[in-house]
Amino acid sequence: EVLNAVDLRPNERMLDVACGPGLAIRLARARGAEVAGLDASPRLAAVAKARTPDADIRVGDMFDLPWADAAFDVVTSFRGIWGGCEAALAEVVRVCRPGGVVGLSFWGNAKKMSAYPLLKLFGDVEEHDADHAKEMAQISYPGVAEQMMVDCGLMPGTRWSLAIPLEYPDVDLAARAWAATGPSYLAIRRLGEDGFLAAARGAASELYGPDGGVRFDFEVQFLVGRKPS
C-alpha cells in the first residue's frame, strides 16, 4: 500500500526506519530499489539482512540516523514512528532528498477497533510511562500525524486507512504474538512476561470465534508527505 503510494521505482534509494525483520525492504528490493534499513534490535536487523543480503541494514537509533543528508529518495516507517517521535521524523526528513517522499503507517484509534481487548493491554504501564504511552497513541487522532509532518518540513497528503484481518489458530498463539510486538514492552516491564501473557490470553479469549480461532479486523492508517524541492 505505501510502496504504491510513494511510487517507488527501480534504482531509487529507499530507507525503512524501525525496519524490524525487513519485510518492507524485501518488497522494495523486489521492485528494483536500492534499499537500506535501521532497527534498534540486533536480532531483528539480522533477520532483515538474511532476507535481503544486499541491503544496507544497520543497528541504531532512529533519533540519530547514521546516513548523510539527502541520502534517500524515499523514507518509510511502518508502525515505527509514533506520537511524540517528532525528533525521529525530523531525522527522516533530513536524510530524504528535496522532492523526495516520506511514507508512514500507524495503528488507528484503539478504542474503535474490535481488537481493543488486546490493545488496551499496552496501556497497562507504570505510572511514569503512562503519559508517554498516551502520547504514542495520539498519532491516530485526526490531524496529529499531519501536523507532525508539517512541523518537520513536509507537505502531507491525505490520510487513508485499511482494515487488515488478523487471525490466530488459538488463544495461546495470539497471546505470544501480541507479547512479541514493540508496544508490549512497557506493559511487560510492569506486569512481567508471564503476567502479560496471562492477561493477553484472557483478552484473546474474548475474540475467539464460535467456529474456532481468534479473528478480528485491525485498522492501519497511512500518510505520505513530500519534502519541498
Side-chain angles (χ1 to χ4, degrees), residues 9-224:
R9 300 184 181 188
N11 300 318
E12 285 193 318
R13 301 159 297 165
M14 190 193 100
L15 169 66
D16 190 35
V17 175
C19 66
L23 174 59
I25 291 169
R26 181 167 65 84
L27 295 173
R29 187 71 188 93
R31 293 175 176 235
E34 297 179 19
V35 288
L38 177 134
D39 201 88
S41 166
R43 288 181 293 178
L44 290 177
V47 175
K49 185 67 174 177
R51 273 179 151 170
T52 312
D54 61 347
D56 178 11
I57 306 294
R58 306 187 192 184
V59 177
D61 183 352
M62 68 180 182
F63 294 89
D64 186 19
L65 296 176
W67 285 279
D69 296 359
F72 298 97
D73 302 295
V74 174
V75 186
T76 58
S77 186
F78 298 89
R79 298 170 305 285
I81 290 179
W82 300 86
C85 292
E86 287 83 355
L89 185 56
E91 274 290 276
V92 163
V93 176
R94 178 184 66 79
V95 301
C96 183
R97 67 165 174 82
V101 289
V102 172
L104 303 179
S105 76
F106 41 89
W107 297 346
N109 189 321
K111 292 183 178 180
K112 295 182 179 180
M113 283 194 257
S114 60
Y116 184 62
L118 281 166
L119 285 166
K120 70 179 179 181
L121 296 179
F122 296 148
D124 193 354
V125 300
E126 299 286 357
E127 186 175 350
H128 63 270
D129 290 324
D131 288 343
H132 175 58
K134 290 178 182 177
E135 186 178 33
M136 289 174 63
Q138 286 175 357
I139 195 170
S140 69
Y141 297 178
V144 172
E146 291 81 355
Q147 191 61 51
M148 288 173 64
M149 283 194 169
V150 169
D151 291 344
C152 291
L154 295 172
M155 298 182 296
T158 300
R159 186 190 307 210
W160 76 103
S161 65
L162 288 176
I164 309 296
L166 295 183
E167 50 187 8
Y168 305 93
D170 54 59
V171 165
D172 186 63
L173 184 58
R176 289 190 289 118
W178 221 245
T181 63
S184 70
Y185 171 75
L186 293 177
I188 289 173
R189 190 162 69 179
R190 167 176 160 76
L191 300 171
E193 187 171 354
D194 290 343
F196 183 89
L197 284 170
R201 290 188 193 100
S205 296
E206 298 181 40
L207 301 168
Y208 194 84
D211 54 349
V214 177
R215 297 183 179 87
F216 51 87
D217 283 343
F218 195 86
E219 185 192 15
V220 179
Q221 299 186 358
F222 307 90
L223 184 64
V224 171

